[in-house]
Amino acid sequence: MTPAEYRNTARAGQGLSTYESFEVKRPVAEVGQAFRKKANECLSLKLGSQNRPLIGIAGSVNYYGQVIPKVFTSGSRAELHVQIKYKNQVGQIPEDGMYHFVADAYPSGKGTTRVDIYRRTKFATVAEAVRGWASGQSMACPDPNTFL
């Protein structure tokens, strides 16, 4: 799916995706800056498992996937996309993996910004974090164990 197709799927409530919207009393440029600052810090993750031998302390990590956040900003819009790319995926998958979360921010009035969130239902804690980032009230990272 493209981001536009993902938005349509979530807005229609199809599959395991949902849509929500809110406004914040903050200019869209500040919301975009918050997305950019926090996305890489909080959402850029490698997914792996630890292999441990029966005897000894050495081990190795097998990475089987990666969470890839991207932020796009322009003068009047900010977008946050979160994709998950797994090793050995089959089918028509975007280059950086399937979309699990998309947030669009755009002006809704003087000094206010509307944020539309399209997400997998499991990404509720990411949506909560993005709400805090957008409003500037909380810059906390979501716990990866709640959405992965």
Side-chain angles (χ1 to χ4, degrees):
M1 269 189 228
T2 66
E5 291 169 331
Y6 184 75
R7 288 179 185 99
N8 290 336
T9 298
R11 192 177 283 275
Q14 296 174 340
L16 299 173
S17 296
T18 188
Y19 163 78
E20 60 190 86
S21 184
F22 60 93
E23 287 191 0
V24 295
K25 292 183 180 184
R26 211 168 170 203
V28 71
E30 289 181 20
V31 172
Q33 288 172 350
F35 285 178
R36 187 168 306 284
K37 179 178 188 243
K38 299 306 288 185
N40 284 333
E41 176 186 332
C42 298
L43 301 174
S44 185
L45 306 165
K46 287 188 176 185
L47 310 175
S49 60
Q50 180 77 28
N51 298 324
R52 295 189 179 161
L54 291 174
I55 300 174
I57 58 170
S60 63
V61 177
N62 175 37
Y63 291 108
Y64 58 84
Q66 184 175 5
V67 180
I68 303 170
K70 296 178 185 174
V71 177
F72 305 94
T73 57
S74 68
S76 62
R77 190 170 180 90
E79 296 181 23
L80 167 60
H81 300 179
V82 180
Q83 294 170 263
I84 299 181
K85 182 177 184 174
Y86 293 99
K87 280 186 180 179
N88 305 321
Q89 282 186 303
V90 295
Q92 294 182 329
I93 309 278
E95 183 178 339
D96 287 331
M98 298 293 289
Y99 287 89
H100 288 255
F101 187 96
V102 173
D104 298 327
Y106 49 92
S108 61
K110 186 174 181 172
T112 62
T113 299
R114 179 181 170 124
V115 180
D116 295 333
I117 293 178
Y118 310 86
R119 65 175 176 84
R120 302 277 300 195
T121 53
K122 192 172 182 180
F123 274 63
T125 56
V126 176
E128 184 179 327
V130 167
R131 186 180 295 270
W133 302 345
S135 69
Q137 294 178 353
S138 172
M139 299 307 270
C141 292
D143 179 356
N145 292 317
T146 62
F147 63 92
L148 295 176

